[in-house]
């Protein structure tokens, strides 16, 4: 394995998308200052492309109220080298109308903590009408296998019903994330109509917001605890998940820009799922215990929790103790479980801090939405054009 391949596999990567100042570098060792060669752009072809910068984030366990956690390391990993993603185009009626043609991935720059790619392709001529583009973009990532939509026939809603959207979750191995165990993601833009190309047959379509299909649950032992945690497990875990939530057909179905409202309003769980029991958390280098899991319904309906035997619970065992302490997915008030119950939802981080006293425990829970993984697709060779590349065209 080459050093470059090792870097690709080992680097923990986050995905904010940034429009860059160069398109295609010389193909040798490249960095942010590499000399670039401008591509040959045919005047008869409309090109499409977007840039993805994969950066190693600075993780944090302290999240102010209302902030979104960006996720860390492989929580944000997309295997671009293996092309484990798809980009689909849909029209106003949510009918599949195409994807990239002659699609390529070109490395642009590389540093110790990031790698940048330019994903480039051609637009099929029939997608362009009167020098404008009207469509909706869907991006899927880390699915392993993907739907094969039929042009001018497949509806967007059929993607969620496709067999490839059903993810099998192995509770023995998929509870951690790394290059071989990634989190399925999906994102859909809103429909945008008659977005004009400029004289260079270029347009910037804006931003696609990607959501992870799993939740992250973390248990932290407070410094004030009198005992150390020996192990942590979840009483129940669903063994199937939907990579793309059912009923989501546009960005505004899950992007509300509201801390209380994001993302989807209820869990999207396959009816065929089997529940695994007693699934263990993994102890991290910092000493906390973490697990990544599919969504789980603890509520029969709003404000109507299931019986506790049907819910999933966090079971914590301390050293020098033979008793497992149940921690519930509910609001804790003054350290006690007396608040509302809640479901385990995709793209959320449930962070429990436990303080073990000699005669009782206190629990604090933070429910933190992950920040969306933003992909900003600039349609065309943005870097050979003047102006603000992060600003979408007016429409």
């Amino acid at each position: 394995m080459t050093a470059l391949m090792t870097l690709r596999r080992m680097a923990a990567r986050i995905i904010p998308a940034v429009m860059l100042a160069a398109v295609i570098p010389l193909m040798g060792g490249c960095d942010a200052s590499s000399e670039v060669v401008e591509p040959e752009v045919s005047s008869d072809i409309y090109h499409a492309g977007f840039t993805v910068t994969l950066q190693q984030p600075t993780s944090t366990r302290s999240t102010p109220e209302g902030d979104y956690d960006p996720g860390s390391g492989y929580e944000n990993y997309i295997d671009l080298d293996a092309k484990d993603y798809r980009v689909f185009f849909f029209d106003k009626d949510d009918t599949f109308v195409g994807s990239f043609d002659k699609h390529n991935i070109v490395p642009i720059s590389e540093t110790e903590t990031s790698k940048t790619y330019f994903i480039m392709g051609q637009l099929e001529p029939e997608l362009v009408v009167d020098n404008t583009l009207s469509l909706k973009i869907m991006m899927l990532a880390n699915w392993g296998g993907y739907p094969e939509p039929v042009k001018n026939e497949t509806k967007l809603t059929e993607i969620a019903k496709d067999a490839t959207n059903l993810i099998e979750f192995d509770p023995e191995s998929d509870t951690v994330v790394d290059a071989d165990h990634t989190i399925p993601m999906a994102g859909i833009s809103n429909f945008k109509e008659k977005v004009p190309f400029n004289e260079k047959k270029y347009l910037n379509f804006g931003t696609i917001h990607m959501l992870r299909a799993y939740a992250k649950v973390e248990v932290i032992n407070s410094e004030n605890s009198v005992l150390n945690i020996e192990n942590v497990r979840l009483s129940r875990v669903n063994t199937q998940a939907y990579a793309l939530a059912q009923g989501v057909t546009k960005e505004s179905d899950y992007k509300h820009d509201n801390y209380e409202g994001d993302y989807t309003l209820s869990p999207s769980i396959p009816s065929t799922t089997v529940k695994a029991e007693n699934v263990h958390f993994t102890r991290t280098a910092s000493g906390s215990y973490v697990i990544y899991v599919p969504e789980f319904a603890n509520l029969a309906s709003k404000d109507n929790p299931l019986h506790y035997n049907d819910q999933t619970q966090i079971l914590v065992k301390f050293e020098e103790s033979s008793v497992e302490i149940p921690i519930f997915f509910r609001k804790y008030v003054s350290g006690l479980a007396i608040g509302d119950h809640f479901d385990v939802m995709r793209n959320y981080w449930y962070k429990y801090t436990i303080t073990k006293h000699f005669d009782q425990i206190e629990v604090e829970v933070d429910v933190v939405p992950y920040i969306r993984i933003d992909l900003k697709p600039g349609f065309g060779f943005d870097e050979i054009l003047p102006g603000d590349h992060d600003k979408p065209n007016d429409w």
Side-chain angles (χ1 to χ4, degrees):
M1 180 177 292
T2 66
L4 180 58
M5 291 174 65
T6 301
L7 177 62
R8 288 173 175 168
R9 288 292 183 188
M10 297 300 294
R13 300 186 278 189
I14 194 172
I15 316 167
V18 181
M19 305 318 298
L20 301 180
V23 177
I24 301 181
L26 298 176
M27 295 305 293
C30 51
D31 55 34
S33 60
S34 294
E35 181 181 354
V36 299
V37 177
E38 292 185 358
E40 294 293 332
V41 181
S42 170
S43 60
D44 298 325
I45 299 175
Y46 288 85
H47 287 83
F50 59 88
T51 304
V52 179
T53 299
L54 307 174
Q55 295 180 327
Q56 181 173 339
T58 301
S59 61
T60 176
R61 287 195 327 202
S62 177
T63 305
E65 182 178 356
D67 279 4
Y68 290 69
D69 180 68
S72 58
Y74 284 103
E75 296 169 17
N76 308 297
Y77 177 85
I78 294 177
D79 193 350
L80 294 180
D81 299 330
K83 296 187 178 181
D84 192 2
Y85 65 94
R86 296 292 186 273
V87 179
F88 299 143
F89 302 151
F90 294 86
D91 65 14
K92 192 172 185 177
D93 296 323
D94 280 349
T95 302
F96 174 71
V97 292
S99 187
F100 286 121
D101 188 23
K102 299 182 179 178
H103 174 218
N104 292 291
I105 303 177
V106 180
I108 295 175
S109 66
E110 181 178 323
T111 69
E112 291 183 357
T113 58
S114 68
K115 187 169 182 65
T116 300
Y117 295 84
F118 185 71
I119 302 176
M120 180 174 58
Q122 296 179 6
L123 287 173
E124 298 176 1
E126 56 266 34
L127 294 177
V128 181
V129 178
D130 296 329
N131 204 47
T132 68
L133 190 65
S134 298
L135 53 76
K136 180 187 294 186
I137 303 175
M138 168 185 281
M139 182 164 182
L140 315 175
N142 298 338
W143 287 29
Y146 293 91
E148 297 182 0
V150 178
K151 188 174 179 180
N152 298 324
E153 291 186 17
T154 302
K155 293 292 187 178
L156 191 151
T157 53
E158 296 178 57
I159 302 298
K161 298 175 183 178
D162 193 90
T164 58
N165 188 38
L166 183 65
I167 303 298
E168 299 292 338
F169 183 87
D170 185 350
E172 297 294 326
S173 60
D174 291 336
T175 56
V176 298
V177 296
D178 55 31
D180 296 317
H181 304 91
T182 55
I183 301 178
M185 304 177 188
I188 313 173
S189 73
N190 290 328
F191 180 79
K192 296 181 180 179
E193 190 168 11
K194 296 183 179 180
V195 186
F197 289 85
N198 67 9
E199 67 279 1
K200 293 181 179 287
K201 297 189 176 179
Y202 154 83
L203 66 84
N204 184 336
F205 200 78
T207 301
I208 299 176
H209 301 286
M210 302 286 286
L211 294 184
R212 305 165 185 83
Y214 298 162
K216 175 183 179 180
V217 186
E218 182 175 18
V219 174
I220 303 165
N221 197 20
S222 165
E223 295 179 354
N224 298 321
S225 288
V226 297
L227 294 175
N228 294 322
I229 293 176
E230 184 175 286
N231 62 66
V232 183
R233 59 191 177 93
L234 269 182
S235 61
R236 296 170 186 83
V237 170
N238 283 320
T239 58
Q240 290 181 328
Y242 287 125
L244 171 65
Q246 301 293 302
V248 172
T249 62
K250 57 185 180 299
E251 178 186 277
S252 55
D253 286 337
Y254 60 88
K255 178 182 176 291
H256 309 292
D257 293 324
N258 180 315
Y259 188 80
E260 295 294 329
D262 283 344
Y263 298 102
T264 52
L265 299 180
S266 60
S268 186
I269 301 171
S271 60
T272 54
T273 188
V274 174
K275 293 178 175 61
E277 297 185 351
N278 301 323
V279 181
H280 285 270
F281 285 59
T282 299
R283 193 174 191 273
T284 69
S286 67
S288 69
Y289 289 79
V290 170
I291 192 170
Y292 299 88
V293 290
E295 295 180 298
F296 195 101
N298 287 324
L299 303 176
S301 59
K302 185 178 180 182
D303 302 325
N304 181 22
L306 297 170
H307 188 275
Y308 72 90
N309 284 336
D310 296 320
Q311 296 184 28
T312 185
Q313 305 167 23
I314 302 169
L315 303 174
V316 180
K317 184 181 182 302
F318 287 90
E319 295 177 353
E320 304 177 23
S321 173
S322 60
V323 178
E324 280 188 318
I325 299 171
I327 307 297
F328 299 94
F329 285 90
R330 64 186 304 185
K331 295 180 181 178
Y332 280 74
V333 180
S334 299
L336 302 177
I338 58 178
D340 295 337
H341 295 255
F342 48 80
D343 296 317
V344 180
M345 300 290 292
R346 68 181 60 219
N347 217 70
Y348 272 81
W349 175 23
Y350 300 90
K351 183 171 61 172
Y352 289 82
T353 302
I354 301 176
T355 304
K356 177 69 172 72
H357 301 291
F358 287 108
D359 57 347
Q360 65 177 1
I361 67 166
E362 294 180 6
V363 178
E364 296 179 6
V365 57
D366 291 326
V367 181
V368 184
Y370 276 119
I371 196 171
R372 293 171 297 273
I373 298 176
D374 292 347
L375 303 178
K376 296 180 180 178
F379 280 80
F381 297 107
D382 305 55
E383 294 75 7
I384 62 175
L385 303 173
D388 184 353
H389 302 314
D390 286 332
K391 182 183 297 183
N393 286 11
D394 294 328
W395 51 74

